[in-house]
Amino acid sequence: MTQPGEPSTLAGEAPAGTPAPVPAPVTPAPVGVIGGVGPLATAYFLQLVVQLTQAERDQDHLDMVVLNHATIPDRTAFILGRSAEDPAPVLANDARRLERFGVSFLVMPCNTAHYFTQQVIDSTSVPLLSIIDVTVAAVRERQPGLTQVGLLATEGTATSGVYQDAFAAVGVETLLPDAADQAVVNTIIYDQVKAGQPVDIDALHGVAQRLQARGAGEIVLGCTELSVVAADHALLDDPVFVDSMDQLARATIRRAGHRVREG
């Protein structure tokens, strides 16, 4: 009880002589992930970031805000004119939602969605780390004199030209599967990986080998569903394959100021 002449203490106020509280440490702004395109690929991206981060405790990992928006309209269907539902406004709105969380930069673990990159960039002041750009840079670093690269991707990504344009800008020609082989890739992506069914890995190897026979020095896995296949079937043990998801995860870790685990 306060005695006469003593200063009173208001509720929630520290008594006189109590040391001032130590301010909480300032943590970096989280990474914003525009996810759900597709859901399994997003889950694998998060797993890959955790596995590839040099960390000895929870607090050494990246902070991330993930918007796993699985109901975003189909990107390939719109690009190919099979659907009138435009994913661009939805992706742009998701970028703004993540901006309100205070994220430092954005990533989209989906290659096909990068056809709509400009709309996303125009919608927010937060920078976007492009899976296309980091993959092209990785290929160039691995083989500086490379002149031809093969691309395994959705029909939407292949039609959009996002990889062809990015590689052409650095003097590399992109080789695409023929119609029959693209149908094989489509089946693996949509009817097998996205549907949760077993993957015909021999068929995928056959497509890659035919691209190599045409002159492809590297094969880009330009679809994040194929990144899941790469993990399940150890495709990256073969140095000819470059996985776009793997490269995005590594670039995300570095951009966030962390170190990539060696080995």
Side-chain angles (χ1 to χ4, degrees):
M1 182 174 180
T2 303
Q3 300 299 319
E6 291 182 351
S8 62
T9 301
L10 299 176
E13 187 178 75
T18 302
V22 177
V26 176
T27 57
V31 178
V33 182
I34 302 175
V37 284
L40 182 59
T42 301
Y44 177 56
F45 172 74
L46 301 178
Q47 177 184 339
L48 198 54
V49 168
V50 171
Q51 290 175 337
L52 289 175
T53 300
Q54 182 66 50
E56 297 179 357
R57 55 180 188 152
D58 291 348
Q59 291 75 19
D60 294 333
H61 286 279
L62 280 66
D63 291 330
M64 293 186 282
V65 178
V66 184
L67 185 51
N68 199 44
H69 195 167
T71 55
I72 292 174
D74 188 276
R75 283 68 60 200
T76 292
F78 181 80
I79 292 170
L80 298 179
R82 298 171 183 164
S83 170
E85 293 185 87
D86 187 353
V90 184
L91 291 166
N93 188 54
D94 284 352
R96 289 190 292 268
R97 292 167 72 183
L98 289 167
E99 182 178 28
R100 291 194 289 272
F101 274 99
V103 300
S104 54
F105 64 95
L106 298 166
V107 295
M108 282 195 298
C110 174
N111 290 273
T112 310
H114 278 70
Y115 176 75
F116 309 97
T117 294
Q118 195 59 52
Q119 293 94 320
V120 173
I121 292 173
D122 291 344
S123 70
T124 174
S125 61
V126 180
L128 173 71
L129 182 63
S130 166
I131 193 171
I132 311 297
D133 292 345
V134 301
T135 301
V136 170
V139 170
R140 292 284 288 166
E141 183 177 349
R142 289 170 63 154
Q143 287 202 42
L146 187 72
T147 59
Q148 292 180 310
V149 64
L151 176 65
L152 301 180
T154 65
E155 197 173 355
T157 298
T159 301
S160 72
V162 288
Y163 270 109
Q164 295 94 310
D165 293 344
F167 274 117
V170 293
V172 177
E173 179 187 5
T174 304
L175 303 179
L176 302 177
D178 63 20
D181 276 347
Q182 183 61 53
V184 172
V185 176
N186 293 347
T187 295
I188 291 170
I189 293 170
Y190 290 99
D191 299 335
Q192 296 175 7
V193 179
K194 285 183 180 289
Q197 299 300 314
V199 168
D200 187 346
I201 193 64
D202 290 337
L204 187 65
H205 275 298
V207 175
Q209 289 163 4
R210 285 185 285 277
L211 286 172
Q212 288 179 271
R214 289 165 53 194
E218 299 273 353
I219 304 292
V220 170
L221 300 176
C223 172
T224 47
E225 271 68 38
L226 295 180
S227 302
V228 176
V229 176
D232 290 345
H233 296 274
L235 289 185
L236 299 189
D237 289 349
D238 184 341
V240 76
F241 290 108
V242 180
D243 177 24
S244 59
M245 178 87 85
D246 179 74
Q247 296 304 324
L248 180 63
R250 292 172 185 273
T252 298
I253 293 165
R254 297 188 189 100
R255 177 70 173 264
H258 292 247
R259 294 176 60 189
V260 175
R261 187 182 298 277
E262 299 297 331

